Amino acid sequence: MAKYLIVGGVAAGMSAAARLRRLDETAQITVFERGEYVSYANCGLPYYIGDEIKERERLVVQTPEALRELMDIEVRTSNEVLAIDPAAQSLKAKDLKTGREYEETYDKLLLAPGGSPVKPPIPGSDHPAIHTLWTIPDTDTIRAMVDGGKVKKALVVGAGFIGLEMAENLKYRDIDVTVVEMAKQAMNVVDFEMASMVHREVAMHGVDLQLEDGVSEFTPGANGGVVAKLSSGKTIEADLVLLSIGVKPNTAFLADSGIELGKRGHILVDDSLKTNQKDIFAAGDVIEVLHPLTRKQTAIPLAGPANKQGRIAADNMHGAKPRTYNGTMGTAIAKIFDLTIGMTGASEKLCLSHDIPFDSVIIHPNDYAGYYPGAMKMCLKLLYSPETRKVLGAQGTGYSGVDKRIDVIATAIKADMTVDDLTEIEHAYAPPYSSAKDPVNMAGFVAQNVLEGLIKTVKWTDIETNPAEYFLLDVRTPAECASGVMPGSVNIPQAELRNRLDEVPRDKKVVLYCRVGLIAYQAARVLAGKGFDNVYNLSGGYETWNVSVT
Amino acid sequence: MAKYLIVGGVAAGMSAAARLRRLDETAQITVFERGEYVSYANCGLPYYIGDEIKERERLVVQTPEALRELMDIEVRTSNEVLAIDPAAQSLKAKDLKTGREYEETYDKLLLAPGGSPVKPPIPGSDHPAIHTLWTIPDTDTIRAMVDGGKVKKALVVGAGFIGLEMAENLKYRDIDVTVVEMAKQAMNVVDFEMASMVHREVAMHGVDLQLEDGVSEFTPGANGGVVAKLSSGKTIEADLVLLSIGVKPNTAFLADSGIELGKRGHILVDDSLKTNQKDIFAAGDVIEVLHPLTRKQTAIPLAGPANKQGRIAADNMHGAKPRTYNGTMGTAIAKIFDLTIGMTGASEKLCLSHDIPFDSVIIHPNDYAGYYPGAMKMCLKLLYSPETRKVLGAQGTGYSGVDKRIDVIATAIKADMTVDDLTEIEHAYAPPYSSAKDPVNMAGFVAQNVLEGLIKTVKWTDIETNPAEYFLLDVRTPAECASGVMPGSVNIPQAELRNRLDEVPRDKKVVLYCRVGLIAYQAARVLAGKGFDNVYNLSGGYETWNVSVT
Ligand SMILES: Cc1cc2nc3c(=O)[nH]c(=O)nc-3n(C[C@H](O)[C@H](O)[C@H](O)COP(=O)(O)OP(=O)(O)OC[C@H]3O[C@@H](n4cnc5c(N)ncnc54)[C@H](O)[C@@H]3O)c2cc1C
Ligand SMILES: Cc1cc2nc3c(=O)[nH]c(=O)nc-3n(C[C@H](O)[C@H](O)[C@H](O)COP(=O)(O)OP(=O)(O)OC[C@H]3O[C@@H](n4cnc5c(N)ncnc54)[C@H](O)[C@@H]3O)c2cc1C
Ligand SMILES: CC(C)(COP(=O)(O)OP(=O)(O)OC[C@H]1O[C@@H](n2cnc3c(N)ncnc32)[C@H](O)[C@@H]1OP(=O)(O)O)[C@@H](O)C(=O)NCCC(=O)NCCS
Ligand SMILES: CC(C)(COP(=O)(O)OP(=O)(O)OC[C@H]1O[C@@H](n2cnc3c(N)ncnc32)[C@H](O)[C@@H]1OP(=O)(O)O)[C@@H](O)C(=O)NCCC(=O)NCCS
């Protein structure tokens, strides 16, 4: 009878335990979890605080009792693993309720202890109003504070996914929220112009987002609150502070185990999720993974990969049907108030930092047929290799349908598809779901046109850096221009362009723009046909420029 | 200066015209359209009749005037092409307003005349209350009848996509609707158990769907209405009848052209969308296409393929950058009241009729995290090859998120992915969008388990055909059983199974079922581990069986 021990009882650990049971009815499977809960929905915690999820029990997907009954799995909550001994094939655990320490041997061991939120060494951060959010007890504490009615103002430190989800949910509880972020944008994994839409969204909902600033000190404030002093000199008072500036792997207990760790303390595994020690596997937030696009090791703490790794680790621990884990490229998504922001694969920043040649296009297609009620524009940025034409990544923002396009492009990247392949994807079209040419097709078309020299593009940043270099030609209708124009631009509506060619300079770089880039592309083709060869389309059009500079 | 003529001014034709203009600013581009409108939204017509789309002008995406102004394209509406002469590189057209007939020469010609609704030779079908829906004038007529308030009862003949969309939209106008369909299911392109959910949905909304029946005769009825006599002997009175039983290609005008047509009258083209005649291309509903899964010719009249073909045809007519059209596999979707039904690739029926080896799984995952408010179950059927493990097709029904999974699987099929690849797709997960394991991953897992012998399955049809052969073991909780059970089944809840093994026969085929198949799979693994080797999971569980047999 095989004996499997698993450290950590949430996403990766419990997925592995459940799968092991299905692979081997006779095995002995024991899960060690230092917390009081297993199988809980970390990702749902912010929504419970925001009272979007109303019943606390919904957060707990399985209980130890049910896991025993249904899966014959022994779950030891409040049992922390203190050390492991690969040579002896054993671990040392402590029952946190009784204080008893004991050993347990294994045939195979899975390490799935996840990570914990980074607590920055800011003076004063041990104040009781300052919290992190990772577990159910964290959630209970924060929700109790909010339910108590004393939290009028909250400060969120860090504008990543969890920070902004919390900003949203605290707002839903009628709390004044300030978010402070060190970087010059929220959601640092996406590119600036995409994050700009998040900046606009949170502002529209009354969240005060302070970029390029950080907390240098906390001091006690009135009524049990704190005062945060920022690097900029500003001070912010808050009844509740949430620190959400990242996560670090829980590997302190492996210090003397001989298990190889990466530079930032993550467990290193091979593509079967095996560590360097015999019969010891690891999965979830705690491991380093291969990024399939950069081909470099990285750490991507997300629930999808953790769950999938758990299943693969189980298969490999069991051994009958080994599988490989082929890496994580960081497909991620968040709802920030009404806006969805999603991404997959490589961003511009990632390409730049890894010297990956790339180009990008930005489009603003409708989520579904424009004539069907409720259609709305989304913004989709596609990155691809100008050499191989392969899709490298995508980012999207919008009010519906973004998740679909991100998933389709994630699938395309996995399949090594080119932008040409994107144009051919045969999507499901009826007016409530898409257009005859889906946004994904459209992104492919636009990239194809750039690659094939039908159109040259400039980015909004090019204009910001070198305004004098360009003649800005606005080809929108006068009515469209009324909503705002780019400084220094000249307006010739597309319908008049063919008759007003002499107003377009031949000795300057002419940048055409319209609202999103579609009409400007048509205008650029008119000019190209008339022998203008210094003509560019502003990628993403006025929309992208406008949201990025304001 | 190149001279391009295009026959047909809607999806394929206008897409090609627009693309040609962008490829060649100096070309002469003329579009012949026998109707009064070009560039209109056929797919939106039912929703305008249902008053979901309120403004008629929304149906017309571009006007001839705007096309001239913006794209310098000459559009001749009310001009019908009567014949073409490939040898002379010319066509003969008729101005339907003046009656004048004239010729026009071309350098390259595109045939994009689409199709027209089939009008069955039913006696009495020339009655003025009987209509088809394809054009804006059709729509105006039908909407005027409905707006007039005299339509209390409507009969829709044919329960395909358009027929059911019309049933829905007529219902929205408070009309009693009966739908008569010859086949034993609605939406014949999907498999029966998937169509069953449509049957349930339309019944819930008060539409009377009569299957396996047809109209044998129409006779005039009271107040300008008709009486339809059905093959079954029933009669149905209606103030409005909509015939929607299919579409045939508009190729009568090509009779003496030498252009090669297929068996059902479609134009035959090569993979560059060229016909057998020099400089003549064709695109849209009028052509036969290669089905990439059956590798056979077929005709798939859908707007997505038509638009994409239009662009490719334009590229090949222009010639600078030729492209191939790689076929159409019939990805399609419809909203039927609140239900979405979508499909991609091969159905079970298609596999059977083409001798393609296949297996299938049916699952009922949540559209997004079960603990997030509003999550709902969808039904997803995945078809794959047991030999190559490649994905062959998918069908989905549900109230949200079906379109996303169909598009992802359509992308996977295009990329030749296997069910193993599906398990690895790195989708975007946050609670409002998906689960940590997406329905697409889940379908992959389940298929993997079947392929690897972890579980054997039976289909609901197997049980219906041979009830005596199986011992039906219901592993749901007693509370779940209260909502209905399969006749003759025995209940042992999964939590008790390990202690009640002696109640399970070893000499019979044991079919386990739960609500959707997940717990029954776990139960089957328990039994397998205890040496039962004649154990099966009911694919799709009680849900699929129940909706299919009732
Ligand atoms: C608020 C919040 C929102 C999130 N939202 C999303 C989202 O929308 N999408 C997404 O993809 N991801 C999201 N995540 C991340 C996701 O929850 C994690 O990636 C995932 O839970 C990682 O799974 P894991 O099994 O590796 O680790 P965890 O789920 O963290 O589980 C590890 C467990 O191991 C236990 N443990 C640690 N050390 C020991 C020890 N020595 N002995 C015994 N037990 C130990 C811990 O107590 C913990 O319960 C979110 C996370 C949080 C906190
Ligand atoms: C009510 C309805 C709903 C639909 N819903 C969907 C949907 O949800 N999703 C989807 O993918 N598809 C849908 N379709 C199908 C889709 O509209 C067609 O597949 C698409 O329009 C085909 O494009 P086409 O250019 O080939 O032909 P068409 O759009 O039919 O255009 C052909 C044009 O050519 C003209 N023509 C024909 N012969 C001549 C001639 N000899 N001379 C001059 N002109 C000529 C016709 O008048 C017509 O305007 C729907 C169709 C209808 C009618
Ligand atoms: C609850 C938990 C223990 C369940 O683990 P699990 O049983 O592996 O996962 P699921 O319930 O999703 O079941 C999936 C299994 O059922 C199978 N299955 C699903 N639907 C099926 C169906 N209709 N028919 C047959 N089998 C089906 C799948 O193939 C899979 O089995 P496999 O892994 O052996 O292939 C684990 O997911 C967990 O702890 N989750 C909560 C924690 C978490 O993930 N947090 C982070 C996100 S918020
Ligand atoms: C209206 C119609 C004439 C437009 O044709 P079109 O100009 O090719 O199509 P779109 O407006 O979608 O524009 C797509 C073009 O703009 C480009 N484009 C789109 N967004 C862009 C952006 N942000 N920046 C630059 N280029 C962009 C695309 O690359 C594509 O150009 P390409 O084909 O040269 O690559 C044609 O689609 C039509 O008649 N439609 C209505 C009929 C119909 O389709 N009915 C059936 C469905 S209901």
Side-chain angles (χ1 to χ4, degrees):
Chain A
M1 188 180 68
K3 187 172 169 191
Y4 299 111
L5 302 189
I6 295 172
V7 186
V10 192
M14 278 313 311
S15 292
R19 174 72 175 170
L20 278 169
R21 172 55 69 225
R22 292 187 289 265
L23 295 175
D24 186 351
E25 172 63 15
T26 63
Q28 184 184 336
I29 304 170
T30 309
V31 177
F32 296 80
E33 169 56 55
R34 68 179 176 195
E36 285 170 68
Y37 300 90
V38 287
S39 273
Y40 61 88
N42 333 43
C43 319
L45 305 181
Y47 302 97
Y48 176 65
I49 293 172
D51 205 33
E52 294 286 290
I53 297 174
K54 300 209 182 291
E55 300 99 351
R56 183 173 177 282
E57 60 273 22
R58 295 206 145 243
L59 299 175
V60 182
V61 183
Q62 288 289 0
T63 60
E65 298 68 44
L67 289 162
R68 168 172 296 284
E69 271 196 340
L70 292 172
M71 302 193 189
D72 191 21
I73 290 169
E74 184 185 346
V75 178
R76 298 188 190 161
T77 50
S78 302
N79 275 254
E80 180 166 11
V81 173
L82 302 177
I84 65 170
D85 183 345
Q89 306 239 131
S90 77
L91 58 73
K92 186 162 93 184
K94 179 176 178 175
D95 183 328
L96 299 176
K97 294 225 160 119
T98 65
R100 182 178 74 96
E101 292 189 10
Y102 60 99
E103 299 202 347
E104 197 77 62
T105 58
Y106 58 80
D107 294 323
K108 309 272 174 183
L109 172 66
L110 177 65
L111 303 173
S116 295
V118 172
K119 298 200 183 151
I122 302 170
S125 56
D126 52 354
H127 188 285
I130 303 176
H131 296 273
T132 55
L133 176 67
W134 203 256
T135 62
I136 293 203
D138 294 344
T139 311
D140 288 338
T141 307
I142 297 172
R143 176 150 179 160
M145 284 179 74
V146 172
D147 286 351
K150 289 212 179 119
V151 182
K152 306 289 176 209
K153 300 176 124 219
L155 169 65
V156 174
V157 182
F161 285 73
I162 296 176
L164 290 183
E165 283 177 2
M166 277 303 295
E168 173 189 353
N169 279 288
L170 291 170
K171 258 288 173 198
Y172 289 158
R173 300 298 302 268
D174 291 325
I175 295 169
D176 261 1
V177 181
T178 301
V179 180
V180 173
E181 166 62 52
M182 205 87 91
K184 67 171 190 218
Q185 66 168 83
M187 306 230 156
N188 223 0
V189 288
V190 302
D191 294 325
F192 186 85
E193 65 278 358
M194 305 305 289
S196 298
M197 319 242 184
V198 175
H199 301 166
R200 184 166 66 184
E201 183 74 10
V202 297
M204 270 166 43
H205 285 86
V207 169
D208 176 22
L209 174 59
Q210 303 276 343
L211 297 169
E212 297 185 89
D213 211 343
V215 180
S216 53
E217 191 185 358
F218 289 111
T219 50
N223 303 319
V226 281
V227 178
K229 200 172 155 192
L230 306 191
S231 320
S232 61
K234 287 181 204 162
T235 56
I236 293 173
E237 287 178 56
D239 307 306
L240 166 67
V241 174
L242 184 87
L243 300 175
S244 99
I245 56 164
V247 40
K248 58 174 195 324
N250 290 330
T251 47
F253 73 109
L254 301 175
D256 303 314
S257 65
I259 288 183
E260 202 182 349
L261 302 182
K263 276 197 288 281
R264 290 161 49 216
H266 298 87
I267 300 174
L268 300 185
V269 291
D270 64 16
D271 68 2
S272 69
L273 302 178
K274 217 177 90 42
T275 68
N276 67 327
Q277 298 293 328
K278 183 161 172 295
D279 296 328
I280 304 182
F281 295 75
D285 284 4
V286 80
I287 65 170
E288 274 193 9
V289 292
L290 179 78
H291 192 299
L293 292 158
T294 64
R295 312 299 303 168
K296 297 269 163 56
Q297 292 290 112
T298 183
I300 297 180
L302 288 171
N307 271 272
K308 290 168 194 166
Q309 288 160 16
R311 186 175 184 270
I312 292 174
D315 283 354
N316 293 336
M317 290 165 76
H318 178 257
K321 173 71 195 166
R323 286 186 217 285
T324 55
Y325 184 72
N326 294 313
T328 313
M329 60 182 173
T331 308
I333 197 161
K335 180 178 99 59
I336 307 298
F337 294 102
D338 301 325
L339 189 79
T340 298
I341 179 156
M343 64 161 305
T344 185
S347 65
E348 199 164 316
K349 279 184 231 168
L350 191 82
C351 289
L352 287 171
S353 68
H354 285 78
D355 281 328
I356 298 174
F358 74 97
D359 204 348
S360 72
V361 297
I362 296 176
I363 61 174
H364 293 81
N366 283 319
D367 48 357
Y368 53 78
Y371 55 80
Y372 190 80
M376 273 181 294
K377 292 230 175 289
M378 66 172 70
C379 177
L380 195 59
K381 177 173 183 175
L382 178 75
L383 287 99
Y384 55 92
S385 161
E387 293 163 2
T388 63
R389 301 171 81 99
K390 281 195 185 146
V391 180
L392 296 173
Q395 297 162 50
T397 56
Y399 295 91
S400 86
V402 170
D403 56 329
K404 174 160 81 171
R405 279 63 187 210
I406 293 297
D407 279 8
V408 167
I409 299 178
T411 308
I413 295 175
K414 173 159 184 55
D416 250 353
M417 280 186 170
T418 63
V419 300
D420 310 290
D421 295 322
L422 294 190
T423 69
E424 295 181 10
I425 287 174
E426 197 186 321
H427 69 293
Y429 165 57
Y433 306 98
S434 180
S435 297
K437 297 166 181 165
D438 189 75
V440 171
N441 300 138
M442 204 59 99
F445 292 140
V446 178
Q448 231 176 22
N449 294 336
V450 174
L451 283 168
E452 286 161 18
L454 277 190
I455 184 76
K456 290 179 287 204
T457 59
V458 294
K459 304 201 161 100
W460 68 272
T461 43
D462 298 326
I463 312 274
E464 288 304 288
T465 324
N466 270 323
E469 208 182 317
Y470 303 103
F471 178 86
L472 289 177
L473 182 54
D474 188 329
V475 296
R476 294 175 301 168
T477 61
E480 286 179 294
C481 294
S483 70
V485 298
M486 288 175 72
S489 61
V490 168
N491 179 229
I492 305 180
Q494 161 71 352
E496 299 170 20
L497 184 63
R498 287 182 178 85
N499 300 321
R500 293 173 62 181
L501 292 175
D502 49 349
E503 297 173 43
V504 183
R506 287 186 182 263
D507 56 347
K508 262 200 129 177
K509 287 190 177 165
V510 179
V511 171
L512 303 175
Y513 77 89
C514 60
R515 190 152 68 92
V516 298
L518 191 157
I519 301 292
Y521 158 57
Q522 302 191 359
R525 293 303 304 153
V526 172
L527 293 183
K530 302 296 183 192
F532 291 77
D533 32 46
N534 228 342
V535 175
Y536 299 81
N537 190 4
L538 175 61
S539 189
Y542 181 78
E543 286 271 326
T544 295
W545 175 84
N546 186 43
V547 75
S548 304
V549 302
T550 52
Chain B
M1 188 178 71
K3 186 170 168 190
Y4 298 111
L5 302 189
I6 295 170
V7 185
V10 190
M14 279 312 312
S15 291
R19 173 71 174 171
L20 279 168
R21 173 55 70 225
R22 293 188 288 266
L23 294 175
D24 185 352
E25 172 63 16
T26 65
Q28 186 183 335
I29 304 170
T30 308
V31 176
F32 295 80
E33 168 55 53
R34 68 179 175 195
E36 286 171 68
Y37 299 90
V38 288
S39 272
Y40 62 88
N42 334 44
C43 319
L45 305 180
Y47 301 99
Y48 175 64
I49 293 171
D51 206 34
E52 295 285 289
I53 297 176
K54 301 209 182 290
E55 300 99 351
R56 183 175 179 282
E57 62 271 22
R58 296 208 143 241
L59 299 175
V60 181
V61 183
Q62 287 290 357
T63 61
E65 299 68 43
L67 289 161
R68 171 171 296 285
E69 271 196 337
L70 292 172
M71 300 193 190
D72 192 21
I73 291 170
E74 184 185 345
V75 177
R76 298 189 191 159
T77 49
S78 300
N79 274 255
E80 179 164 12
V81 173
L82 302 178
I84 66 170
D85 183 345
Q89 306 239 133
S90 77
L91 59 74
K92 185 159 95 182
K94 178 175 180 176
D95 184 327
L96 299 176
K97 296 226 157 118
T98 65
R100 181 178 76 96
E101 293 191 6
Y102 60 98
E103 298 203 344
E104 196 77 63
T105 59
Y106 58 80
D107 294 326
K108 309 271 172 181
L109 173 66
L110 177 66
L111 302 173
S116 294
V118 172
K119 297 194 183 156
I122 302 172
S125 57
D126 51 356
H127 187 283
I130 303 177
H131 296 272
T132 56
L133 175 68
W134 203 256
T135 63
I136 292 203
D138 294 344
T139 311
D140 289 338
T141 309
I142 298 172
R143 177 152 177 158
M145 285 179 73
V146 172
D147 287 351
K150 290 210 180 118
V151 182
K152 306 287 176 212
K153 295 176 126 218
L155 169 63
V156 174
V157 183
F161 285 73
I162 296 175
L164 289 184
E165 282 176 2
M166 277 303 296
E168 171 189 354
N169 279 287
L170 291 170
K171 258 290 172 196
Y172 289 158
R173 301 298 301 271
D174 290 325
I175 295 169
D176 260 2
V177 181
T178 301
V179 180
V180 173
E181 165 62 52
M182 205 88 91
K184 69 170 189 220
Q185 65 168 81
M187 305 231 155
N188 222 358
V189 289
V190 302
D191 294 325
F192 186 84
E193 65 277 1
M194 304 307 287
S196 297
M197 317 242 184
V198 174
H199 302 167
R200 183 166 64 183
E201 183 74 10
V202 298
M204 270 168 39
H205 287 87
V207 170
D208 176 22
L209 174 60
Q210 302 275 343
L211 296 169
E212 298 185 86
D213 210 342
V215 179
S216 53
E217 190 185 0
F218 290 111
T219 49
N223 303 319
V226 281
V227 178
K229 201 171 155 196
L230 306 191
S231 322
S232 60
K234 288 182 205 160
T235 56
I236 294 173
E237 289 178 54
D239 309 304
L240 166 67
V241 174
L242 185 87
L243 300 176
S244 103
I245 58 163
V247 40
K248 59 176 193 323
N250 291 329
T251 46
F253 75 108
L254 300 176
D256 303 315
S257 65
I259 288 183
E260 199 181 350
L261 303 181
K263 277 197 288 281
R264 288 160 51 215
H266 298 87
I267 301 175
L268 301 184
V269 291
D270 65 14
D271 69 2
S272 70
L273 301 179
K274 219 176 90 39
T275 69
N276 67 326
Q277 298 294 327
K278 181 164 173 296
D279 296 330
I280 304 182
F281 295 75
D285 283 3
V286 80
I287 65 170
E288 273 193 10
V289 292
L290 178 79
H291 192 299
L293 292 160
T294 64
R295 309 302 301 170
K296 297 270 162 54
Q297 291 291 112
T298 184
I300 298 180
L302 289 173
N307 270 273
K308 289 168 193 167
Q309 289 160 14
R311 185 176 183 270
I312 291 173
D315 283 354
N316 293 334
M317 290 164 77
H318 178 258
K321 171 74 197 163
R323 285 186 218 283
T324 54
Y325 184 71
N326 295 314
T328 310
M329 60 180 172
T331 310
I333 195 161
K335 180 180 97 61
I336 307 299
F337 294 100
D338 301 324
L339 188 78
T340 298
I341 176 154
M343 62 161 306
T344 186
S347 66
E348 198 163 317
K349 280 186 229 165
L350 192 82
C351 289
L352 287 170
S353 68
H354 284 79
D355 282 328
I356 298 173
F358 74 96
D359 204 348
S360 71
V361 297
I362 296 177
I363 60 172
H364 293 81
N366 283 319
D367 49 356
Y368 52 80
Y371 54 79
Y372 190 81
M376 273 180 296
K377 291 231 175 291
M378 64 171 70
C379 176
L380 195 59
K381 176 173 183 173
L382 179 76
L383 287 98
Y384 55 91
S385 160
E387 294 163 1
T388 64
R389 303 172 79 100
K390 282 195 185 146
V391 180
L392 296 173
Q395 295 163 51
T397 55
Y399 296 91
S400 90
V402 170
D403 57 328
K404 174 160 83 173
R405 277 63 187 211
I406 294 296
D407 280 9
V408 167
I409 297 176
T411 308
I413 295 174
K414 172 157 184 56
D416 251 351
M417 280 185 171
T418 62
V419 299
D420 310 290
D421 294 323
L422 293 190
T423 68
E424 295 182 8
I425 288 174
E426 197 187 320
H427 69 294
Y429 165 58
Y433 306 98
S434 179
S435 297
K437 296 166 181 167
D438 189 75
V440 172
N441 300 138
M442 204 60 99
F445 291 141
V446 178
Q448 230 175 25
N449 294 336
V450 174
L451 283 168
E452 287 162 16
L454 276 190
I455 184 79
K456 289 180 286 202
T457 59
V458 294
K459 303 198 162 101
W460 68 272
T461 42
D462 298 327
I463 311 274
E464 286 307 285
T465 324
N466 271 322
E469 206 181 317
Y470 303 102
F471 179 86
L472 290 176
L473 181 56
D474 188 328
V475 295
R476 295 176 299 169
T477 60
E480 286 179 292
C481 294
S483 70
V485 299
M486 290 175 69
S489 61
V490 169
N491 178 228
I492 306 181
Q494 161 70 354
E496 299 170 18
L497 184 62
R498 289 182 177 86
N499 300 322
R500 294 174 61 182
L501 293 174
D502 49 347
E503 297 172 42
V504 183
R506 290 189 180 257
D507 55 348
K508 264 201 130 178
K509 286 191 180 168
V510 179
V511 172
L512 303 176
Y513 75 90
C514 59
R515 190 152 68 93
V516 297
L518 192 157
I519 301 291
Y521 158 57
Q522 302 191 358
R525 293 302 305 154
V526 172
L527 294 183
K530 302 293 184 191
F532 291 78
D533 32 45
N534 229 344
V535 175
Y536 299 81
N537 191 3
L538 175 62
S539 192
Y542 181 79
E543 286 272 325
T544 294
W545 174 84
N546 186 45
V547 77
S548 304
V549 302
T550 53

